[in-house]
Amino acid sequence: MIRSYQPYKDFTAVVRLIRKELIPLSHTVQEENIPTDAELAARLSEGKCYVSCGRGRLETPDAFIHIVAEDDTLHVDMLAVSAASQGKRIGRRLMEIGEAYGIAEGCRIARLFVDHGNERAHRFYDRLGYQTIRYHPQLACFELAKTLPALAELAASLLPAN
């Protein structure tokens, strides 16, 4: 079950995922600059966030995606799947929903960053069609991008063949 993020209900679980699955892989977050709950709440309030709740709407989120559409670019800000839920195609489904949101918002390209050393994530995004654009040594991250289909192209691809 994937649904829109509800801050009052999901914030604690999403922050737990950020602190457990994302921050340990980041080269830019150190002990002295770990984001506060208030900083994370502000970040999550920008753009759109979706959560995966296992089998039911009321379950605690086990994965999430946070995206921001800006001009013609969809920025995939954060994607995290709990260790227990990895390998179940949840991340792929969240990316599909995130990209569909970007297409609906008029985005033509999706961009994201992968931390140096996170080979599993890099392979995941490669399988989804993302290409490495450049390496940012100051961030110790790779920048990846993918061209998104236009809304008309997407609609045509969903129609049954004659």
Side-chain angles (χ1 to χ4, degrees):
M1 159 61 85
I2 294 177
R3 60 170 171 76
S4 290
Y5 168 75
Q6 298 170 1
Y8 62 91
K9 188 189 307 189
D10 302 326
F11 180 73
T12 301
V14 168
V15 167
R16 187 177 311 116
L17 285 165
I18 292 169
R19 296 194 189 291
K20 186 167 181 159
E21 303 297 336
L22 297 179
I23 289 177
L25 298 172
S26 175
H27 298 286
T28 58
V29 177
Q30 306 302 322
E31 188 68 35
E32 65 274 3
N33 68 345
I34 292 175
T36 65
D37 284 1
E39 291 167 331
L40 292 173
R43 186 169 171 178
L44 290 167
S45 71
E46 298 175 9
K48 186 72 174 167
C49 189
Y50 295 96
V51 296
S52 169
C53 296
R55 297 195 181 272
R57 182 174 288 278
L58 300 177
E59 288 188 33
T60 301
D62 57 357
F64 80 97
I65 187 170
H66 179 251
I67 49 185
V68 178
E70 185 176 47
D71 298 323
D72 70 342
T73 303
L74 176 70
H75 301 278
V76 180
D77 180 40
M78 295 183 278
L79 171 71
V81 179
S82 70
S85 295
Q86 290 178 9
K88 298 178 182 176
R89 303 179 64 87
I90 295 168
R92 174 180 291 273
R93 183 70 183 121
L94 285 167
M95 286 298 294
E96 290 169 353
I97 289 170
E99 290 174 3
Y101 169 82
I103 291 165
E105 292 293 311
C107 296
R108 300 292 301 175
I109 190 164
R111 292 187 181 277
L112 56 87
F113 289 90
V114 174
D115 291 290
H116 176 76
N118 190 350
E119 295 303 320
R120 186 172 183 184
H122 212 143
R123 285 190 308 275
F124 169 74
Y125 293 117
D126 282 344
R127 286 191 305 272
L128 295 180
Y130 285 80
Q131 297 180 335
T132 301
I133 304 297
R134 67 180 70 86
Y135 179 73
H136 295 270
Q138 71 278 18
L139 300 174
C141 287
F142 293 93
E143 181 180 356
L144 285 72
K146 174 183 178 178
T147 301
L148 297 175
L151 197 52
E153 293 169 2
L154 181 63
S157 71
L158 298 175
L159 293 174
N162 290 339

